[in-house]
Amino acid sequence: MSGRRDFGEFSARLEKHLERLPDYAQRAQDKLQRYFPPTEERPNPLRRPQARPPSVTDVPVFAEVRAKWERWNEPAARLARQKRRTSRALTLWIVLTLLCGLMAVAAGFGLVAAQGAGTLTTGIAGVIVFGVLGTRSGLRLRQLNRTELPVSTTPPPLPPPGSAAHEPMRRLAEAEESLAELLRQLSAQSAAVPENSVEDAGTTAAEAAAALRGIAARIEAVERARKASPVGQRAALDSAVQTLREQLDDGLDGYGALIAAAGQAVAASGNGMQQSKEALTDATDRLAGLAIALRELS
């Protein structure tokens, strides 16, 4: 009994000390800071650093897989796959129909063995069945060829996180959302801003965004080439990426000027409306010239 009691007291004392461990660590830290004052921000030597849990979105491979998956699920890609499958099925039904037709003709003229009646019936049945299936596939392919793809409102996927084009393309996606909202509000204020000015601004912004994405695609291509190039030849590719990145930044500045002009037009009233309309027109013209230059570069 005394042994059990002693063991119980020892366990209680041990639990008490374990509960006070954080206090002991804090006291040790305070004493350590007395001898080593924190002139700079130093890591706590008594505390294990907590690393940020890794996220799959930080891995470039995951970003590439997600981009491929998004391209696979695009309406245009799905429609193209449906057309290919329907075209292959149509070819198969046509070939089988022709074979069954030849078999029926051969059986009718007695060019096959003694089982002519059964072969003739089988050939005619095959012509009917495969002919119906081929007709359905042909009508399906015709319908697919006439299908008009809906306008996609989903922004294109961003470049991989490690790419020099990732951050500019993220800013471009946010700028497109802001400009679309501003242009919707300007369209509602048709009495204040002419409708053709709003349409010109939207068309010019779309052309500039397409040109910027073309340069971003060039940056990704150069970066892929850099990875496969010898070490001694990577400096020239790095310089090319830097030049393209500067072009992206210039284009985004022009896009931002159009957003600022549209925002001023939305907020303007009274005497300032005419000045805001002129600023919107000037920003649209400058962005149009910039888009032309970017298209020539890309």
Side-chain angles (χ1 to χ4, degrees), residues 165-193:
H166 177 80
E167 181 62 21
M169 290 298 98
R170 185 191 64 79
R171 290 165 51 196
L172 177 61
E174 295 177 355
E176 284 179 317
E177 293 180 1
S178 301
L179 183 62
E181 178 61 28
L182 291 171
L183 293 181
R184 279 195 295 268
Q185 295 187 17
L186 286 177
S187 299
Q189 302 172 1
S190 56
V193 180

Side-chain angles (χ1 to χ4, degrees), residues 80-95:
R81 291 196 299 270
Q82 291 176 357
K83 287 181 180 180
R84 286 196 299 269
R85 288 195 296 265
T86 307
S87 177
R88 292 169 183 170
L90 177 61
T91 303
L92 176 63
W93 303 140
I94 289 175
V95 171

Side-chain angles (χ1 to χ4, degrees), residues 55-67 158-168 220 223 245:
S55 175
V56 291
T57 57
D58 298 334
V59 182
V61 175
F62 174 79
E64 294 179 3
V65 171
R66 183 175 61 180
L158 295 177
S163 173
H166 177 80
E167 181 62 21
E220 292 186 73
E223 288 174 341
R245 174 61 189 268

Side-chain angles (χ1 to χ4, degrees), residues 33-45:
Q33 288 180 354
R34 292 178 186 176
Y35 296 99
F36 301 97
T39 54
E40 296 179 355
E41 186 178 355
R42 297 183 179 183
N44 184 0

Side-chain angles (χ1 to χ4, degrees), residues 102-121:
L102 291 175
M103 185 172 61
V105 170
F109 284 97
L111 300 177
V112 292
Q115 301 175 352
T119 304
L120 178 62
T121 304

Side-chain angles (χ1 to χ4, degrees), residues 225-298:
R226 181 188 179 279
K227 293 179 181 178
S229 300
V231 178
Q233 299 180 3
R234 293 181 180 180
L237 296 176
D238 291 337
S239 177
V241 169
Q242 181 63 29
T243 301
L244 293 172
R245 174 61 189 268
E246 292 175 358
Q247 295 174 4
L248 271 184
D249 292 336
D250 293 340
L252 286 171
D253 291 341
Y255 203 100
L258 179 60
I259 293 177
Q264 292 174 2
V266 170
S269 61
N271 297 329
M273 181 56 69
Q274 182 62 31
Q275 183 179 0
S276 298
K277 287 190 293 186
E278 294 176 358
L280 179 63
T281 303
D282 293 342
T284 302
D285 294 339
R286 288 196 299 270
L287 186 59
L290 183 60
I292 294 174
L294 292 175
R295 282 198 301 271
E296 291 178 354
L297 292 173
S298 60

